[in-house]
Amino acid sequence: MANKVMTAEPYSLEFDPKSTALVIIDMQRDFVESGGFGESLGNDVSILRKAIAPTKRVLDACRKLKMMVVHTREGHRPDLTDCPPSKMERGQPKRRIGDDGSMGRLLVRGEKGHDIVPELYPNPGEVVIDKPGKGAFYATDLEPILRNSGIKTLIVCGVTTEVCVNTTVREANDRGFNCVVLEDCVGSYFPEFQQAGLAMIKAQGGIFGWVSNSDNAVKAIAA
Ligand code: TIU
């Protein structure tokens, strides 16, 4: 039974912490530190770091209530057999997935750049999902893990807003999960995509879900 209410748009979201998971998308060095995959695509990665501190506040609030916490990481097997050639070649980058960077091989599991930033590092017992694509449901066991735990609502943080966050929210929405995206806990390399990526979630009565922020989330969780 829903017993908490989060102020959100387009309207308040009722949720029960027992059936709600915090999902932190791809807060990996590869996307938010220089020398990683995000930079290899031509991006200024510093803009994404703003999301770290508010996400940490929400993470702390969820941990306090022993809510389910899921961390995802985008990346590939060291032999790259799970990486579509189309993804490797896209954009004709100077450095490709699997090439050496200053934090190890770009977007490869087990490398320093692939791991989650220290500020948001998973605690023992928290779920870590390694995903080869942009969406966290594609080619992973996220859906059975959420269903087996009775999860109905996802509080979503992470990067980037219009790529892995939006793809995951759309996948989750089609699977019947209610998603609320926290606007200061997600980040894009492009300010205009940050704005549009959030607007299209909450438009049309919440066509993909809700948008709120870290203050509202912490207030609701701690209430
Ligand atoms: N490039 C970009 O904006 N994002 C990604 O490649 N992956 C994620 O969003 N995690």
Side-chain angles (χ1 to χ4, degrees), residues 25-26 28 31 37-38 41 43 74 131 134 159-165 189-190:
I25 307 282
D26 302 358
Q28 299 160 257
F31 294 106
F37 176 65
L41 299 174
N43 298 306
E74 179 180 351
K131 64 188 184 65
K134 304 306 183 194
V159 297
T160 62
T161 309
E162 78 280 15
V163 182
C164 292
V165 171
Y189 300 120
F190 306 89

